[in-house]
Amino acid sequence: MKFVYILITLAAFATSSSAQWTMTNLNPAGATFSLAYGVEGGQQVGRAGLGGIGRASLWSGTSASWVDLHPLGADGSYAYGVHSGQQVGLADVGGIYHASLWTGTAGSWVDLNPVGSTYSEASGLDGGQQVGYADVAGLRRASLWSGTAGSWVDLHPAGAGNSYAYAVDGGQQVGVAVVNDNFRASLWSNTAASWVDLNPAGTISSQAYGVHDSRQVGYAQVDDEIHASLWSGSAASWMDLNPAGATHSIAYGVHRNQQVGYVTMGGLRHASLWSGTATSRADLHTPLPAEFSSSIARSITTDGINDYIVGSGFNTLTGRDEALLWTRPVPEPATIGILGLGLAFIARRFSTRILRLGVNRRR
């Protein structure tokens, strides 16, 4: 019986060693609001309201680390994405949005607005590429840059109305194209001609917001409901991530086999994490202090030691949105796997021993 007790104890340890999320409030001192949109490489980006202006913002894990990326003379600015020490977003220059690129300081600002464009916006970056849109000849056109305004590439699909690119990873870009007045989640590979329509069969509309490791996330409209969605390169690969009981859900970010966004339940938004299925959803709202009535997760990454998620929550005590960072140690499936193999081996040996004892007794 002692042997059985040890076996059960080891099994309980293997199944209960799940890592827990901790939350860091990134709202800078004096800010009237803040939002976080992107995370990577120990940096977080978003926007904070200070001095009556919404300012593109950069953090390094704490509210005190806040860096103001707002370009001199701009009327407002946003930072949406971060990768390898670079940040992208937009700056409002004289009432016109200009797609923007930074390298950690306001003074590093690069104007990506291409010649001939009325206005533009950059939303994501990876591997020296930046994506967004530019308004040319009255159409918003999904766009790709490589660090300068002159590098602009038009991703706009033939025959589409407006189009937008929101994220890029490994030479793939995702976003949306308006086709016959319907929003259709879209995937590109560096050219307009490479456009892939991700809109699932039987759905009304869709958009793709994030991409990583050949997986894409966003939403699809199913009847009258918006459902968080996951793809792997084609419309037919669509996975519905909307959990039972949710009236609305969207996935904004993806890293490997983890997806983040929010679900609406009971009229409130809860930041959420999925692992590829609707039933895998974990509620990221749970570790937040009680004063947060709602929350959204926007982006996820890992450094191999910790997982990081950014987003925002509404604080009922301060009456404002506040940028949030969730952190947890990376789960160790390899360790659990080895333990599982060990348990299986022990169980086999134990079962064999019982069998032999039974045979001996029958003899």
Side-chain angles (χ1 to χ4, degrees):
M1 292 299 296
K2 184 177 180 181
F3 181 83
V4 175
Y5 174 79
I6 293 171
L7 185 64
I8 293 171
T9 302
L10 286 171
F13 175 80
T15 57
S16 64
S17 57
S18 58
Q20 298 298 312
W21 292 99
T22 58
M23 188 275 288
T24 302
N25 192 322
L26 296 177
N27 196 71
T32 55
F33 73 89
S34 58
L35 302 163
Y37 296 112
V39 60
E40 196 274 336
Q43 294 185 325
Q44 305 84 42
V45 293
R47 193 176 195 231
L50 288 106
I53 296 175
R55 299 170 176 269
S57 299
L58 173 67
W59 295 269
S60 299
T62 65
S63 61
S65 68
W66 178 73
V67 175
D68 186 357
L69 295 179
H70 186 70
L72 183 65
D75 298 319
S77 56
Y78 297 73
Y80 291 121
V82 58
H83 194 275
S84 299
Q86 292 188 320
Q87 304 83 36
V88 294
L90 68 88
D92 183 343
V93 182
I96 298 174
Y97 284 178
H98 285 219
S100 299
L101 175 67
W102 294 268
T103 312
T105 65
S108 67
W109 177 65
V110 175
D111 187 348
L112 295 179
N113 194 61
V115 174
S117 172
T118 308
Y119 54 89
S120 58
E121 177 179 323
S123 302
L125 75 167
D126 174 74
Q129 294 184 320
Q130 304 85 41
V131 295
Y133 74 85
D135 185 277
V136 180
L139 284 180
R140 295 184 179 184
R141 309 177 77 88
S143 298
L144 175 67
W145 294 268
S146 300
T148 64
S151 67
W152 178 70
V153 174
D154 187 355
L155 296 179
H156 189 72
N162 293 324
S163 62
Y164 309 79
Y166 296 122
V168 56
D169 176 75
Q172 289 190 327
Q173 302 84 36
V174 296
V176 62
V178 181
V179 180
N180 297 325
D181 295 325
N182 291 321
F183 283 10
R184 307 185 78 86
S186 298
L187 173 67
W188 295 268
S189 299
N190 298 325
T191 66
S194 68
W195 179 68
V196 176
D197 185 351
L198 295 178
N199 194 68
T203 64
I204 298 170
S205 65
S206 57
Q207 296 196 55
Y209 293 117
V211 58
H212 185 263
D213 199 20
S214 298
R215 295 179 176 91
Q216 304 85 36
V217 294
Y219 79 80
Q221 185 177 348
V222 181
D223 296 325
D224 293 328
E225 293 186 349
I226 300 297
H227 287 201
S229 297
L230 172 66
W231 296 268
S232 53
S234 67
S237 68
W238 176 65
M239 293 285 294
D240 188 344
L241 297 180
N242 195 63
T247 57
H248 186 104
S249 60
I250 295 178
Y252 288 113
V254 56
H255 191 276
R256 296 176 184 165
N257 195 40
Q258 296 188 103
Q259 305 85 40
V260 295
Y262 74 87
V263 305
T264 300
M265 289 188 173
L268 295 175
R269 293 178 175 181
H270 280 209
S272 297
L273 170 70
W274 293 267
S275 299
T277 65
T279 56
S280 68
R281 186 188 78 93
D283 193 340
L284 295 174
H285 192 81
T286 302
L288 300 184
E291 59 264 27
F292 284 91
S293 60
S294 62
S295 57
I296 296 175
R298 295 279 186 177
S299 181
I300 180 172
T301 192
T302 184
D303 60 9
I305 300 172
N306 293 303
D307 290 330
Y308 304 94
I309 295 172
V310 294
S312 60
F314 184 77
N315 189 326
T316 58
L317 295 182
T318 59
R320 66 192 180 198
D321 288 313
E322 296 176 350
L324 302 176
L325 169 66
W326 288 264
T327 308
R328 73 169 178 185
V330 173
E332 299 181 5
T335 302
I336 295 172
I338 291 170
L339 181 57
L341 289 173
L343 289 172
F345 174 76
I346 292 170
R348 250 192 332 269
R349 290 292 299 273
F350 185 64
S351 298
T352 302
R353 183 180 175 189
I354 292 293
L355 179 61
R356 287 174 179 170
L357 284 171
V359 170
N360 289 337
R361 285 173 181 168
R362 281 196 298 271
R363 287 178 179 175

